[in-house]
Amino acid sequence: MKKLNFILTFLPVLLFSQELYMSGSSILHISEGATLEVGGNLENNGILQNNGTLAIYGDWTVNNNFNGLNGTLEFLGGSNQMVSIPTLRVRELIVNSGGLVDFPGNEYSVLERLYLEFGSIRLGENTRFILEPGVRVDGGSNLSYFDGTLISKGTGEKRFPLGNDGVYSPITFLETSGVDTELAVSYQRNNPSDPIPGDSLLGVSDRAFWEVELLNGSIDPAKIELEFNEEDLSDFKVVNNIRHRVNSPVIAYSNGPGGIYETLGVETLFNSDSVTFGLITSKNKLQPALGQKLYLAMGLGPQIPGEGLYYIPEAFSPNASDPQNQTFRIFGEKISEEEFELQIYNRYGVIVYSTNSFAEANQVGWNGENQKTGAQEPAGVYYYTVRFQFETRLPVQQKGAFYLVK
């Protein structure tokens, strides 16, 4: 172990191939443009001021004074490293260690740049890690991410390079504005609760979620961009045939991990197979209230044209194993209750069912019984006429046939 017990100021690159121990009487000043590389552990019991670059390959223990407000701190260990210091403020932080860099202390701040090149940052349960206003965030991958709650101050674009359990899932608040904004975000694999899809969703993922909390100040509504990985949207339960035909991944939100989730929609979807991975931007904006925790997850939602959409099935069976297929129903979005009419005829032209309610035709439908006699109609071909209008007043009138299967 190299021991340092004197005052040292230097300009060139200085390499300590072994561990470096600074005694209580030592003062070390790394000048601007200079680099100090420590090949092993660094223990600081003296005064260390970094105006250049401090690169560490081992663990770092600070028992006295460290000033890194004007310097770069770089972790290059090639394996896991530990930072034993209760508080830390640095201008630039670079992680290129290939392993985990643990920050278990009270509070850490980055003033200008966070760069995750190779290796990840892991925080203690109660650790505050802060990106001060205007911090530039670079890098991030499945091999290099931030595991813990990341706090970002200020406004503008706010990027959180988060990941957990080997999965990289960053989230960005686009074009934020507000006053004294302090936003905390974390990411967790495997939701321990059972999320509930609301009326605007077909389903919601329980594989992962993002927790968002406004710790201080205010924030105006902002669109969200996030990267999702290792999902399986194809497993989501589909409860409406029309929505099953036209759907898309969407960003969903709730006030609890196991709460009722609603959609923020999807404005853009890139680099995606639309099932397991992609980069998605929300159509609608999110606005956390002060002290409020919101939870984001991947959802599956209907994509409905502005004028509306409808679908009429070609067969049904009262004996179907799926209750959704046990009645003949009209499916649609943005269909008005006004002037709705559905009539079903048998092969003799006799009306066996009719309704003037879209809600009834959509939620209940015809179960195969003659509406007047209550007798079961035989299997075979039946005919229908339907007339309605969308909420935009666009009229629709259609005739067709379907099979009653028994």
Side-chain angles (χ1 to χ4, degrees), residues 89-146:
R89 288 171 63 84
V90 295
R91 181 185 65 84
E92 180 181 44
L93 176 63
I94 299 174
V95 175
N96 192 15
S97 68
L100 284 171
V101 181
D102 281 290
F103 286 82
N106 300 328
E107 183 171 302
Y108 308 97
S109 297
V110 177
L111 306 181
E112 292 186 17
R113 184 183 183 224
L114 171 66
Y115 181 28
L116 298 172
E117 185 173 358
F118 183 43
S120 299
I121 292 176
R122 182 170 60 186
L123 302 184
E125 184 176 351
N126 299 313
T127 301
R128 283 172 54 88
F129 198 106
I130 300 168
L131 303 181
E132 298 291 345
V135 168
R136 192 176 102 202
V137 178
D138 295 321
S141 68
N142 282 336
L143 299 175
S144 190
Y145 52 77
F146 195 100

Side-chain angles (χ1 to χ4, degrees), residues 41-72:
N41 297 334
L42 170 60
E43 182 175 343
N44 174 27
N45 295 297
I47 297 174
L48 174 56
Q49 181 166 344
N50 179 27
N51 292 328
T53 299
L54 174 61
I56 305 173
Y57 288 80
D59 297 337
W60 185 31
T61 302
V62 180
N63 298 318
N64 198 340
N65 181 275
F66 173 78
N67 185 341
L69 300 181
N70 298 314
T72 296

Side-chain angles (χ1 to χ4, degrees), residues 245-261:
R245 290 162 61 92
V246 186
N247 55 57
S248 170
V250 297
I251 300 176
Y253 73 99
S254 177
N255 59 5
I260 299 175
Y261 284 75

Side-chain angles (χ1 to χ4, degrees), residues 295-308:
Y295 296 83
L296 304 177
M298 287 308 302
L300 189 65
Q303 298 301 293
I304 307 301
E307 68 273 12

Side-chain angles (χ1 to χ4, degrees), residues 115-398:
Y115 181 28
L116 298 172
E117 185 173 358
F118 183 43
S120 299
I121 292 176
R122 182 170 60 186
L123 302 184
E125 184 176 351
N126 299 313
T127 301
R128 283 172 54 88
F129 198 106
I130 300 168
L131 303 181
E132 298 291 345
V135 168
R136 192 176 102 202
V137 178
D138 295 321
S141 68
N142 282 336
L143 299 175
S144 190
Y145 52 77
F146 195 100
D147 188 354
T149 300
L150 184 56
I151 301 170
S152 181
K153 292 183 177 181
T155 54
E157 182 177 286
K158 304 172 78 66
R159 180 168 176 255
F160 299 82
L162 302 173
N164 179 249
D165 196 24
V167 177
Y168 177 59
S169 289
I171 180 172
T172 302
F173 281 69
L174 302 174
E175 300 179 2
T176 64
S177 58
V179 178
D180 297 327
T181 305
E182 188 174 330
L183 193 64
V185 183
S186 62
Y187 171 75
Q188 180 176 326
R189 293 288 291 163
N190 300 319
N191 190 339
S193 306
D194 292 324
I196 303 169
D199 293 339
S200 62
L201 291 170
L202 302 176
V204 61
S205 171
D206 63 355
R207 293 185 175 224
F209 66 87
W210 294 259
E211 180 184 280
V212 177
E213 182 179 6
L214 183 63
L215 300 178
N216 187 54
S218 65
I219 187 170
D220 296 330
K223 290 185 178 181
I224 307 296
E225 178 186 86
L226 59 82
E227 183 175 328
F228 64 98
N229 290 285
E230 296 189 13
E231 292 287 354
D232 194 355
L233 309 188
S234 62
D235 279 351
F236 287 179
K237 184 178 180 181
V238 175
V239 297
N240 187 322
N241 286 347
I242 180 67
R243 294 176 174 178
H244 179 61
R245 290 162 61 92
V246 186
N247 55 57
S248 170
V250 297
I251 300 176
Y253 73 99
S254 177
N255 59 5
I260 299 175
Y261 284 75
E262 298 296 343
T263 183
L264 287 175
V266 53
E267 182 176 272
T268 60
L269 181 63
F270 294 110
N271 302 324
S272 177
D273 63 355
S274 295
V275 175
T276 57
F277 61 87
L279 180 66
I280 187 170
T281 303
S282 67
K283 180 179 180 180
N284 302 318
K285 296 181 178 182
L286 186 73
Q287 184 181 28
L290 183 61
Q292 176 189 26
K293 289 185 178 180
L294 293 176
Y295 296 83
L296 304 177
M298 287 308 302
L300 189 65
Q303 298 301 293
I304 307 301
E307 68 273 12
L309 195 67
Y310 73 96
Y311 167 66
I312 301 175
E314 298 178 350
F316 84 99
S317 173
N319 302 319
S321 58
D322 187 347
Q324 301 292 328
N325 298 323
Q326 291 176 358
T327 59
F328 177 85
R329 294 182 291 160
I330 306 295
F331 298 98
E333 298 290 341
K334 301 184 179 181
I335 294 177
S336 174
E337 276 287 322
E338 298 178 11
E339 301 184 21
F340 180 89
E341 182 181 56
L342 170 65
Q343 293 184 327
I344 298 176
Y345 306 83
N346 62 18
R347 60 180 176 169
Y348 303 110
V350 177
I351 296 176
V352 295
Y353 175 83
S354 67
T355 181
N356 293 109
S357 169
F358 170 66
E360 179 183 328
N362 174 251
Q363 300 172 20
V364 181
W366 183 48
N367 62 4
E369 292 183 357
N370 188 301
Q371 193 175 44
K372 291 185 178 179
T373 66
Q376 283 286 339
E377 292 289 324
V381 178
Y382 288 79
Y383 305 89
Y384 69 85
T385 61
V386 63
R387 177 176 60 86
F388 62 87
Q389 63 183 12
F390 289 111
E391 294 172 355
T392 58
R393 301 299 180 182
L394 178 68
V396 175
Q397 188 166 342
Q398 181 171 318

